[in-house]
Amino acid sequence: MNDRKKQVMSFVRKRLMYWQTEPNPHLVRADLANLRRGIGKKPGELPQLWEPLFRDFPEELMSQNGNPTWEEWAVCGALTLYAMHQQGNDQKMHMDGQRLGIAIGSLADGDEDHLKPVQRRFNAFATAKGMPECLHHLRGLIQLLRRDGIPLDYVELAGDLYVFQTPDGAARIRLQWGQDFYRTVYRRQERKDDNHE
C-alpha cells in the first residue's frame, strides 16, 4: 500500500510542478479550467479531464475493469480541488507541509465564533462515507480556504485521499486530520490570548 500511496503523491507533485513551471499560462489555465469541471465527478467521467489526469499516469495504477481505482480517485480528487483553489489566485495555493487539518484549523483563526461553523463542516467531511461524499464536503472546505487565501499541501491531500479508501485507512487518516486541526486551533487561540495580555 505504501508504494502505491507514494506513486500517487509523486504523480500529483509532478503535475503541480508542471503547472507551476510551464511558461505558457494559457496551457495551464486550460488544464485547470477543465479540471474544475470534474470536481466531485467520478474519474474518467468527463473526456476533457482525461489528458490532464492520465497523461503519464502510471499504468499499474489505472483501472482494468472500468471502475476507478483508489489511486485514480485520489489523484482526480486532489487535482480537481487544487484547480478550484488556485482559480483567480496569484499566490500559489499548494504549500508543502500545510496538511489538511492544519489548513482547516487555520480558518478558525483562534476565534471561538469562527470555530463552530468550521468545526461543523470539518466533522461532516471527516465522517463522510465513500469518496463522492468525502469530496462533496471537502469542496466546501476548500472554498473557505480559497476565500481566506490559505494554501494546502495537495501532494499530502492526494496521499490522504488514497489512504482514506483503504481498509482501516479512514480511521487512521481521520485521527491525523483531527489531531492537526485541534492542535492548530488551540495553538492559534493561545497565541491570540498571549497577545491580549
Side-chain angles (χ1 to χ4, degrees):
M1 178 195 70
N2 253 350
D3 186 45
R4 295 219 161 202
K5 177 185 172 186
K6 283 180 187 159
Q7 284 182 283
V8 163
M9 293 171 74
S10 173
F11 180 80
V12 169
R13 182 175 303 286
K14 198 167 34 169
R15 191 59 78 234
L16 292 171
M17 287 302 300
Y18 164 74
W19 289 322
Q20 291 175 356
T21 58
E22 169 57 50
N24 184 343
H26 301 297
L27 289 177
V28 174
R29 276 200 291 273
D31 271 359
L32 297 183
N34 282 332
L35 284 166
R36 282 192 294 277
R37 290 185 188 98
I39 295 172
K41 300 259 192 290
K42 195 173 176 181
E45 194 173 321
L46 298 178
Q48 60 265 47
L49 298 191
W50 296 347
E51 201 269 334
L53 286 176
F54 299 129
R55 155 179 90 227
D56 304 329
F57 197 76
E59 186 91 21
E60 65 273 17
L61 304 184
M62 286 186 176
S63 170
Q64 302 302 311
N65 60 10
N67 293 316
T69 62
W70 295 339
E71 296 84 357
E72 288 170 327
W73 270 112
V75 166
C76 187
L79 293 181
T80 56
L81 290 166
Y82 166 78
M84 180 185 72
H85 198 171
Q86 190 60 56
Q87 183 181 18
N89 213 317
D90 294 334
Q91 275 183 278
K92 289 184 171 121
M93 288 293 106
H94 164 71
M95 178 190 280
D96 287 340
Q98 179 87 335
R99 294 193 314 255
L100 183 65
I102 296 168
I104 303 301
S106 300
L107 285 167
D109 198 31
D111 184 318
E112 196 66 38
D113 293 334
H114 289 130
L115 177 60
K116 292 295 178 210
V118 171
Q119 216 171 19
R120 250 190 329 275
R121 280 178 169 227
F122 190 62
N123 290 346
F125 155 71
T127 57
K129 306 271 188 283
M131 283 303 284
E133 186 184 350
C134 172
L135 294 173
H136 169 75
H137 289 296
L138 192 49
R139 177 186 193 159
L141 290 167
I142 301 297
Q143 286 170 327
L144 295 177
L145 294 176
R146 182 173 169 235
R147 179 198 69 195
D148 289 5
I150 298 170
L152 177 63
D153 188 330
Y154 279 90
V155 174
E156 282 288 329
L157 178 64
D160 289 354
L161 292 176
Y162 173 78
V163 171
F164 178 81
Q165 300 170 83
T166 63
D168 302 320
R172 285 197 324 273
I173 206 67
R174 282 183 183 123
L175 176 61
Q176 183 185 332
W177 288 336
Q179 289 168 335
D180 286 345
F181 177 79
Y182 284 101
R183 188 180 313 116
T184 302
V185 164
Y186 291 109
R187 279 185 186 154
R188 284 176 158 254
Q189 279 181 341
E190 284 170 8
R191 276 200 300 269
K192 215 170 195 173
D193 293 344
D194 289 348
N195 290 338
H196 284 100
E197 286 178 3

